[in-house]
Amino acid sequence: QVQLVESGGGMVQPGRSLRLSCAVSGFTLRSYAMHWVRQAPGKGLEWVASISYDEIDKDYADSVKGRFTISRDSSQNTMYLQMSSLKTEDTAIYYCARAVVEWIQCNWLDPWGQGTLVTVSS
Amino acid sequence: AIQMTQSPSSLSASVGDRVTITCRASQGIRNDLGWYQQRPGKAPKLLIYAASSLQSGVPSRFSGSGSGTDFTLTISSLQPEDFATYYCLQDHNYPLTFGGGTKVEI
């Protein structure tokens, strides 16, 4: 059974850092592109970052470029989102999602994890 | 970045109704568009990819159409479990961008 479980969320002060994890099971992480998507409270979805199946390509939303870094450890079946210089507008539920098709850069996202809440506040 | 304009932002409908949601891209994106459903308090779920292909396990009452800049999601006969918010997502190029969402209410 394919499963994605996010963790690492919490409350953090502006300017600080936080690392989110997405632990996967039921499939081989190294064969799929993976994505992070966020949703501010009561708002719509915003794509944040993606990593290609071969880790060669990493792409970011303009709003997080230079502050967030996506990575993965296939031996641990875990993807990460390192977030630094956090701003109040980064407050959101962060979801990880897998690409539908393996071995290509696929941007059809399914399944998704249940999300982890990040609150940036002083 | 490509802007995705979704309409309407909300609609009221009844069980059995035919519902249509549209998404317009700020530039041509071929058929590089997906539709997602998000029920309250839940993670999104992929319904349609490549503008018109039904994701495995999704009921056939959902369909998608369009190419270039104009796209449509249609629910042929609304069911109680379909009351949710729907989003389009363009994957033509980075950054990927979502539409603003359409909330389907009773």
Side-chain angles (χ1 to χ4, degrees), chain A residues 17-69:
Chain A
S17 298
L18 201 63
R19 189 179 78 161
L20 304 183
S21 300
C22 172
V24 309
S25 58
F27 67 96
T28 303
L29 187 60
R30 66 168 56 89
S31 62
Y32 287 89
M34 297 290 293
H35 299 258
W36 287 98
V37 175
R38 68 184 181 184
Q39 186 169 37
K43 302 297 184 182
L45 300 172
E46 179 187 18
W47 173 81
V48 173
S50 72
I51 183 168
S52 61
Y53 75 95
D54 54 10
E55 298 186 68
I56 291 176
D57 295 310
K58 299 177 183 179
D59 294 277
Y60 300 91
D62 290 344
S63 58
V64 307
K65 198 172 293 183
R67 300 188 298 124
F68 289 13
T69 302

Side-chain angles (χ1 to χ4, degrees), chain B residues 78-94:
Chain B
L78 201 65
Q79 298 302 299
E81 60 268 30
D82 301 336
F83 290 95
T85 301
Y86 295 84
Y87 296 91
C88 61
L89 171 66
Q90 70 80 19
D91 65 289
H92 183 67
N93 58 24
Y94 292 101

Side-chain angles (χ1 to χ4, degrees), chain A:
Chain A
Q1 180 184 359
V2 173
Q3 195 169 13
L4 294 81
V5 179
E6 302 92 337
S7 61
M11 181 171 287
V12 61
Q13 293 179 327
R16 305 297 292 265
S17 298
L18 201 63
R19 189 179 78 161
L20 304 183
S21 300
C22 172
V24 309
S25 58
F27 67 96
T28 303
L29 187 60
R30 66 168 56 89
S31 62
Y32 287 89
M34 297 290 293
H35 299 258
W36 287 98
V37 175
R38 68 184 181 184
Q39 186 169 37
K43 302 297 184 182
L45 300 172
E46 179 187 18
W47 173 81
V48 173
S50 72
I51 183 168
S52 61
Y53 75 95
D54 54 10
E55 298 186 68
I56 291 176
D57 295 310
K58 299 177 183 179
D59 294 277
Y60 300 91
D62 290 344
S63 58
V64 307
K65 198 172 293 183
R67 300 188 298 124
F68 289 13
T69 302
I70 189 171
S71 64
R72 75 176 190 215
D73 184 342
S74 296
S75 67
Q76 298 294 319
N77 290 321
T78 302
M79 177 178 69
Y80 303 100
L81 186 68
Q82 179 68 46
M83 306 185 293
S84 61
S85 303
L86 282 162
K87 306 175 181 180
T88 56
E89 53 263 42
D90 294 319
T91 294
I93 296 172
Y94 284 74
Y95 296 99
C96 63
R98 194 199 75 178
V100 169
V101 182
E102 60 185 333
W103 303 119
I104 62 170
Q105 184 51 36
C106 173
N107 297 324
W108 309 324
L109 313 183
D110 200 65
W112 298 52
Q114 84 291 347
T116 187
L117 177 62
V118 172
T119 302
V120 184
S121 174
S122 54

Side-chain angles (χ1 to χ4, degrees), chain B residues 7-28:
Chain B
S7 62
S9 57
S10 66
L11 65 90
S12 295
S14 301
V15 172
D17 283 354
R18 182 182 182 88
V19 168
T20 299
I21 298 167
T22 64
C23 210
R24 174 164 288 176
S26 59
Q27 66 186 71

